[in-house]
Amino acid sequence: MNNNEQPTKRRGITVEDLLRLRSVRDPHYAPDGTRAVFVEKSIDEEKQYRSHLWIWAADGSVRQWTFGRWRDMKPRFSPRGEMIAFLSDRSGRTQLWLLPANGGEARQLTFFKNGVRDYVWSPDGTFLIALTTLGDEETIEDREEQKTAEQKPADSKPRVVERLYYKSDASGFLDGKQDVLVRIDAASGKTEALTGREEEIGSFAVSPTGQTLAFVANRNDDPDTTFTRDIVLFDLESKAETNLTNGCGTFASLAWSPDGTKLAAIGHDLAYLGATLHRLYVFEPERGTKRVLTADWDVHLGDAMVGDTHADAKGPGPIWASDGSGLYVTASERGRVNLYFVPLDGPIVPMIEGNFHLYGLAIHPSEQQAIAAMSEPTVIGDLYIISLEDGTKTRLTRANEALENEVVFADAEPFTYRSADGWEIQGWIMKPPGLGEGEKAPLVVEIHGGPHAMYGFTFFHEFQLLVSRGYAVLFTNPRGSHGYGQAFVNAVRGDYGGMDYEDIMAGVDAAISKFDFIDETRLGVTGGSYGGFMTNWIVGHTDRFKAAVTQRSISNWLSFSGVSDIGYFFTKWEVGCDIWEDAERLWHHSPLKYVQNMRTPLLILHSERDYRCPIEQAEQLFIALKQLGRETKLVRFPDANHDLSRTGNPALRLERLRQIVGWFDHYLKGPLD
């Protein structure tokens, strides 16, 4: 820039900028470490999600590898590096495809009627194991139905239900479908079903010898009410099975040691039911031993971060060191997701540590470096090469460079405060850029879902949008959140609307006291799922807020217990009883009980296919408020589920954001009383 040029003034981010966000994720090294493949997810001009494969080479070059109007996902080099397997919906269903690593046409490997959910390579690269689902009368020979211009309407038949667990927010009505693991020959595509129909197969992995398949499944006699998930060992030659865990816990993220003598898993013993911290287990099947390597580490393993940009990016499970001396794991702690090394013997060592969200990882075969997908409050997310020896970080991608150079982002300043009973709570404040000296901004309080999840150091489009429109944004991790140990995450159970409410309100008071730019006369509050429950609870217990937006919320535990896909067990796990045991207790914790106290203008946003918090929860609250003559509006989102704000239809996501900012603009920026 010469002396006569003026720097371009950056603008605030907009609702429509959601369409420009790109999420780079899921890196995977080639066996020789000279290349890596990763995925870039975006939204196209038709407001449809697309994802494509990209290749990075050790010379620093980065180039797009696949193209088209579809979604290519989960790329993995074959053990010898000559092929890349990946999942793609280019045929209609998500199927398994193979692509020559040096270039060429992709070849469809599977044609299963219900597609492929996941897969792994065999150690020698001659076959793959894929996970599919089958209905009552379906077989693995049944092929996917090709899309046609005109689809025939479904037959009008009644749906007969005989099980407690018959629908899923992610999958809709299950209709008797069960999981099957299938062996696929890489050259011919020949298939062989390895398992019968199983309940909820999770992680699976083939041993280094290629002889044993380990997989996680629900092997309980009553799978709807028993929540352990066992590790099953399956001999690929003899077809013999061994249950390795026999109901001692719930497990996922399997990984064989390099010598094949040990099997690592992430899991827990359900001691605190859904609030139990995830631990690192190591089994030695031949010796019959089990160790919990992180038993004394009061930290939750894995990624508990809440966000709206990388929510569906699946981070890595445990990764073995090449010498079998320990494992690399990610962990959620104090609003950060970082990388650690857990040795079989010795202290846990931080490997990639800082105020950021590590949401994807690949370890180089030499273990001297890693590729990490990382996000920060002012960095949307990119891949970095990080030295595991000295921490040196080199940015590998700049997927959002144009947008980041065009808009101004507000950083999230962390702070801590004390709740009413003395517990320390972590929070963050975001100040509107350009706010002048002495000027004040209205405050929007954001409350995360879960409640066993975590806000923290990650990019959040919704937060940046509110800040760009002149709002300060406060977000906190009240008790019940991950990141602060077992006692903290368990403390909300049986106390919804109790000290968790006090934690949030103490955060509002602390922020107003600490940050003089907050206008305490113009307060708004919003949240989704548990955050929606808490928004409903707040406006039923205080008139401090001038506007509220409740999203995919719970208003009535009495009905929630019978209509949610998880309600029949989640209600007892979290509130403490079943409806026939103590209906008064469920009503006491229901925001609807306090509807006569609700005088804050309340916008209610809900998806019509939300089976996690069904829309009747919104309808009950809306009708009661209207009967009472309160200021409220219900916005229903068709063909959307509980994940609307994170992975829902982009056009509906845009409208959701417009509704939120429109409501707050009307009630927090208009004339004061």
Side-chain angles (χ1 to χ4, degrees):
M1 183 176 70
N2 62 45
N3 292 335
N4 295 324
E5 290 179 321
Q6 297 296 320
T8 302
K9 184 177 180 180
R10 295 186 180 185
R11 62 174 176 82
I13 202 166
T14 67
V15 169
E16 289 71 24
D17 284 329
L18 174 73
L19 303 178
R20 296 177 61 186
L21 299 180
R22 295 176 179 272
S23 174
V24 288
R25 56 186 53 200
D26 199 14
H28 182 69
Y29 275 108
D32 62 4
T34 61
R35 292 178 295 172
V37 61
F38 62 92
V39 175
E40 181 179 287
K41 180 183 177 183
S42 61
I43 302 172
D44 69 10
E45 63 276 7
E46 297 180 355
K47 298 185 178 64
Q48 297 295 318
Y49 292 111
R50 307 297 180 196
S51 56
H52 299 105
L53 310 187
W54 290 63
I55 292 286
W56 166 84
D59 62 7
S61 62
V62 177
R63 58 195 177 104
Q64 189 169 344
W65 198 247
T66 65
F67 301 83
R69 309 182 77 80
W70 42 66
R71 289 180 281 185
D72 297 335
M73 303 161 284
K74 197 175 182 180
R76 295 292 183 267
F77 280 95
S78 61
R80 291 192 295 269
E82 79 280 12
M83 301 293 292
I84 297 174
F86 63 100
L87 299 178
S88 178
D89 64 355
R90 57 182 68 192
S91 68
R93 291 278 188 179
T94 298
Q95 302 285 1
L96 184 57
W97 293 69
L98 293 181
L99 179 67
N102 291 322
E105 292 296 321
R107 171 169 64 94
Q108 186 172 350
L109 190 62
T110 65
F111 299 83
F112 298 136
K113 182 175 182 178
N114 299 312
V116 173
R117 289 219 316 267
D118 201 359
Y119 75 95
V120 296
W121 279 101
S122 67
D124 63 3
T126 61
F127 66 91
L128 302 96
I129 306 292
L131 174 62
T132 188
T133 59
L134 294 177
D136 289 338
E137 298 179 1
E138 296 172 348
T139 71
I140 61 170
E141 284 75 30
D142 294 336
R143 293 206 161 199
E144 64 177 317
E145 298 176 2
Q146 296 299 313
K147 288 184 177 180
T148 59
E150 295 184 5
Q151 296 284 356
K152 293 182 179 179
D155 294 336
S156 297
K157 295 187 294 187
R159 177 173 277 112
V160 179
V161 176
E162 297 182 292
R163 293 184 54 172
L164 271 173
Y165 185 63
Y166 68 93
K167 61 183 177 181
S168 159
D169 185 69
S171 305
F173 290 101
L174 301 180
D175 294 333
K177 288 186 174 63
Q178 292 183 294
D179 292 344
V180 177
L181 287 172
V182 182
R183 176 175 176 155
I184 306 153
D185 184 85
S188 67
K190 182 180 178 182
T191 61
E192 175 193 7
L194 298 177
T195 64
R197 297 164 189 269
E198 294 275 357
E199 292 286 339
E200 299 177 55
I201 290 181
S203 174
F204 50 99
V206 183
S207 67
T209 63
Q211 180 178 342
T212 305
L213 170 67
F215 64 91
V216 173
N218 185 338
R219 283 293 181 87
N220 297 293
D221 293 336
D222 184 357
D224 293 350
T225 61
T226 310
F227 300 96
T228 55
R229 300 292 183 271
D230 282 313
I231 300 174
V232 179
L233 302 181
F234 179 85
D235 190 295
L236 290 170
E237 294 181 4
S238 69
K239 315 301 184 187
E241 287 187 357
T242 303
N243 191 322
L244 187 62
T245 51
N246 291 307
C248 71
T250 182
F251 300 96
S253 303
L254 303 181
W256 287 97
S257 63
D259 65 2
T261 64
K262 302 177 183 66
L263 181 65
I266 300 295
H268 62 78
D269 60 2
L270 289 162
Y272 301 90
L273 299 174
T276 313
L277 296 187
H278 291 176
R279 306 292 192 186
L280 178 60
Y281 287 71
V282 171
F283 300 88
E284 293 188 68
E286 292 298 322
R287 299 175 58 185
T289 64
K290 175 184 72 176
R291 294 175 61 192
V292 186
L293 298 187
T294 59
D296 298 325
W297 193 28
D298 198 18
V299 171
H300 180 76
L301 298 190
D303 184 354
M305 189 75 78
V306 174
D308 60 2
T309 306
H310 311 293
D312 60 335
K314 293 184 178 180
I319 301 172
W320 280 93
S322 58
D323 63 1
S325 62
L327 299 106
Y328 298 93
V329 298
T330 57
S332 300
E333 186 176 19
R334 300 195 65 82
R336 315 184 309 173
V337 179
N338 290 172
L339 179 68
Y340 300 85
F341 183 71
V342 182
L344 296 180
D345 297 293
I348 296 168
V349 181
M351 300 300 297
I352 304 177
E353 193 174 33
N355 290 337
F356 47 73
H357 172 204
L358 195 158
Y359 64 91
L361 178 75
I363 302 292
H364 191 276
S366 71
E367 294 181 61
Q368 295 179 338
Q369 69 178 31
I371 295 178
M374 295 163 56
S375 176
E376 301 174 44
T378 59
V379 178
I380 296 170
D382 270 300
L383 299 183
Y384 298 81
I385 297 177
I386 301 178
S387 169
L388 298 181
E389 297 176 331
D390 61 15
T392 303
K393 183 169 68 173
T394 303
R395 194 167 182 169
L396 187 154
T397 64
R398 295 185 179 274
N400 295 281
E401 185 174 25
L403 183 61
E404 290 174 340
N405 289 338
E406 187 177 329
V407 303
V408 58
F409 294 138
D411 206 352
E413 180 181 343
F415 68 102
T416 59
Y417 60 93
R418 295 287 174 180
S419 189
D421 59 354
W423 281 38
E424 184 181 86
I425 310 297
Q426 186 178 23
W428 290 260
I429 193 75
M430 298 174 69
K431 179 181 178 180
L435 192 68
E437 186 69 27
E439 292 183 335
K440 289 184 178 289
L443 177 72
V444 173
V445 180
E446 290 268 5
I447 307 171
H448 67 64
H452 310 309
M454 179 182 78
Y455 275 149
F457 297 97
T458 193
F459 180 82
F460 216 122
H461 173 257
E462 180 182 322
F463 294 2
Q464 294 290 348
L465 174 64
L466 289 168
V467 170
S468 77
R469 298 181 72 91
Y471 298 100
V473 173
L474 170 68
F475 54 101
T476 69
N477 282 329
R479 68 195 68 193
S481 304
H482 273 309
Y484 310 91
Q486 184 63 80
F488 192 92
V489 72
N490 188 59
V492 73
R493 292 177 58 230
D495 190 38
Y496 276 44
M499 290 309 301
D500 51 349
Y501 165 71
E502 298 292 343
D503 291 349
I504 294 167
M505 297 308 295
V508 175
D509 293 336
I512 291 171
S513 175
K514 182 176 178 64
F515 304 103
D516 60 8
F517 56 83
I518 295 174
D519 184 347
E520 64 180 300
T521 68
R522 294 185 291 166
L523 303 179
V525 61
T526 186
S529 197
Y530 165 81
F533 158 84
M534 184 52 67
T535 299
N536 297 341
W537 188 269
I538 285 173
V539 298
H541 288 78
T542 179
D543 293 331
R544 288 185 67 180
F545 295 89
K546 301 300 181 185
V549 180
T550 184
Q551 307 171 56
R552 58 188 185 279
S553 71
I554 296 171
S555 65
N556 184 352
W557 288 106
L558 292 164
S559 61
F560 174 87
S561 64
V563 296
S564 166
D565 63 341
I566 63 172
Y568 69 92
F569 65 86
F570 185 86
T571 303
K572 185 164 187 174
W573 282 14
E574 295 294 317
V575 184
C577 62
D578 286 313
I579 190 170
W580 57 86
E581 294 174 328
D582 194 344
E584 282 301 317
R585 182 175 182 178
L586 297 185
W587 185 235
H588 171 75
H589 288 281
S590 297
L592 194 63
K593 176 181 178 180
Y594 310 96
V595 68
Q596 293 184 74
N597 301 330
M598 297 182 186
R599 294 176 174 82
T600 302
L602 182 63
L603 173 64
I604 304 170
L605 306 180
H606 221 105
S607 296
E608 293 186 345
R609 286 197 299 106
D610 188 335
Y611 296 150
R612 183 60 38 88
C613 297
I615 197 169
E616 59 87 30
Q617 294 287 303
E619 292 170 330
Q620 290 186 66
L621 182 59
F622 173 72
I623 293 299
L625 287 170
K626 293 297 287 185
Q627 285 181 299
L628 291 167
R630 304 294 153 77
E631 192 68 29
T632 188
K633 180 169 70 173
L634 170 62
V635 180
R636 305 169 65 108
F637 294 89
D639 297 321
N641 67 2
H642 198 65
D643 281 332
L644 168 64
S645 66
R646 298 164 289 217
T647 59
N649 180 298
L652 294 181
R653 291 179 67 186
L654 294 176
E655 184 56 33
R656 168 187 167 273
L657 292 168
R658 294 187 189 107
Q659 291 287 340
I660 292 171
V661 296
W663 192 262
F664 284 137
D665 283 354
H666 179 75
Y667 287 100
L668 298 185
K669 290 184 177 179
L672 299 181
D673 294 337

